[in-house]
Amino acid sequence: MITYAVTTPEVIFQFFIFLGWFVHLDQQKVVSRWLEQEFTNHVLGLGALVIVLLVVLFVLIVIAFNVLRTVILYFGLEVHHDAGHLTIARGLFERQTMHLSINRMQTVEVRQNIFRQALGLATVKTRLITDENG
């Protein structure tokens, strides 16, 4: 589950959202001025190292957030197939259970990004045939 969370494409978008949130919080430019001063004082030395360490810290925070979100959503994931039905149960704080009729499945889509393909992981989505009432 952790490998699945780390390889999700949303990690990149979450990184930029977190970076934007940080810039918004630093409206008084306290951290920005400090980083700029460190970078200009030590262009080839410690300043560049500080920038790299902050970027790595941002990436680790985003990954930790994504792992936590995935664990909460997919904790205890169970998939059962029996008598023409597919039953999927998941969730840590709120347990969700779906009962799907295999006869009503219209399409099955399997998605893999390059990282998940290398690790043998995939996201599976299905579309069901429904009537007017849903």
Side-chain angles (χ1 to χ4, degrees), residues 8-29:
T8 186
E10 289 88 14
V11 168
I12 296 167
F13 299 115
Q14 291 168 355
F15 171 74
F16 287 112
I17 288 171
F18 183 78
L19 190 60
W21 175 73
F22 174 76
V23 170
H24 177 73
L25 287 180
D26 190 32
Q27 288 180 356
Q28 290 148 356
K29 308 265 187 232

Side-chain angles (χ1 to χ4, degrees), residues 1-8 11 62-72 74-75 116 119 121:
M1 192 173 338
I2 292 173
T3 307
Y4 185 83
V6 171
T7 59
T8 186
V11 168
V62 168
I63 289 173
F65 168 77
N66 208 44
V67 167
L68 181 65
R69 180 181 68 90
T70 302
V71 167
I72 289 171
Y74 295 104
F75 183 79
R116 288 186 179 166
L119 296 170
L121 299 172

Side-chain angles (χ1 to χ4, degrees), residues 15 31-32 34-40 42-43 45-58:
F15 171 74
V31 177
S32 301
W34 177 77
L35 286 174
E36 183 179 344
Q37 182 181 16
E38 285 295 313
F39 189 71
T40 55
H42 311 285
V43 175
L46 187 61
L49 179 63
V50 169
I51 299 294
V52 169
L53 289 176
L54 282 174
V55 169
V56 168
L57 179 66
F58 278 148

